Structure formats: structure tokens, C-alpha cells
Amino acid sequence: TLGQQFAFERELAEITELARANGRASDPWFRQRLADAWSRLEIMRWNTLRVLSGPDDSARVPPAAMITKLYWASWHRDLGELAMDVLGAEALLGDPSVAPGEGYELTALQRLFLFTRSDTIYAGSNQIQRNIIGERALGLPKEPSL
């Protein structure tokens, strides 16, 4: 997940630069959201380092590792939403470098937004991840079957 976090860091840097360029970085609400995204990315990195430096017990997945997928999927989804908010009305427009009549191409940030919606579904939806954490990390009873 550390390699993935480098990609997340680049995406956040691109969004931050866009916010500076279009003036949204001067808005306290956007500044707070950018700072929140950065802080949560740092928490993700520190949790990953904690898991990697922990005891090597391959028989049991440490609870800190169980939250990883749920955490990054939710963070990345929120980053996609932040990207659209920083873009503002431009989020509704296609890539301006595509000539008229040649189709509708998305910008990189629009593709980021759409892709991050799937992060919370593939490899186990967030709801499934919460059940796994509850049962395996917290020792809660299994969800009743119908």
C-alpha cells in the first residue's frame, strides 16, 4: 500500500495546485478540506508503517492491517469529491483539448472522481470490510444469515 500512497500523494498535489491556480485555496473551507486530506493521507502512511514494522505473525492479520482497505477506499473517494469541488463548474465540462465533434473526453480529475467511486466496492465493499473488522478484529458475533 505504500506504493499506492505515493500515487495518492501525487493526486492530492495536483488538486492542491489546481486550488492555488483557480483561487479556491484562499477559501478557508477548501483550505480545511485540503489539510484534512493531507492529514488523513499521513495517518494512512503511519498506519501502514506500523503494520509493516510489527511482529511477523503470518498466522494472524493484525487489527491495524484490517482497517487499511476500508480507510484508503473512503479517503480516495473523498479525494475524488474534493477534486470535483475544486474544479467547480468546470467539473461538468469535457477535456478542452479535444476538438469539437471528436467525442467527449474526461479530464484526469474527472476520471479520478469516477474511478474512486469503485474503490469502495471492489475487493470487498466497505460494508463487507466493516463486517470483517467487527468479527475478526473486535470479536463481535457473525452477522446472522437469513
Side-chain angles (χ1 to χ4, degrees):
T1 64
L2 283 174
Q4 181 184 47
Q5 290 169 28
F6 290 128
F8 292 166
E9 191 174 356
R10 284 191 304 275
E11 291 168 350
L12 179 56
E14 181 180 352
I15 293 165
T16 302
E17 285 305 311
L18 175 63
R20 286 184 181 127
N22 70 13
R24 290 211 165 70
S26 63
D27 181 328
W29 185 69
F30 278 105
R31 277 198 317 269
Q32 182 60 47
R33 289 183 66 197
L34 290 165
D36 179 63
W38 180 83
S39 300
R40 290 172 57 202
L41 182 58
E42 285 297 300
I43 290 168
M44 187 186 325
R45 185 172 70 89
W46 285 106
N47 188 60
T48 301
L49 293 172
R50 176 176 63 165
V51 169
L52 291 173
S53 64
D56 185 20
D57 181 8
S58 58
R60 187 176 181 316
V61 176
M66 290 182 189
I67 67 165
T68 302
K69 197 277 182 184
L70 176 64
Y71 191 89
W72 71 252
S74 298
W75 180 87
H76 205 215
R77 179 201 57 219
D78 294 346
L79 185 71
E81 291 172 4
L82 175 61
M84 293 299 94
D85 290 343
V86 167
L87 277 170
E90 290 181 33
L92 302 174
L93 303 174
D95 188 343
S97 66
V98 176
E102 292 187 17
Y104 183 87
E105 290 294 322
L106 300 174
T107 65
L109 291 180
Q110 289 169 327
R111 284 193 305 277
L112 169 73
F113 170 74
L114 293 173
F115 179 75
T116 61
R117 310 314 289 169
S118 67
D119 285 341
T120 59
I121 300 169
Y122 70 78
S125 70
N126 279 4
Q127 290 77 11
I128 298 294
Q129 295 300 320
R130 287 182 182 100
N131 282 347
I132 291 170
I133 293 166
E135 292 170 11
R136 297 181 188 168
L138 301 175
L140 298 175
K142 288 187 179 274
E143 191 169 313
S145 59
L146 299 175

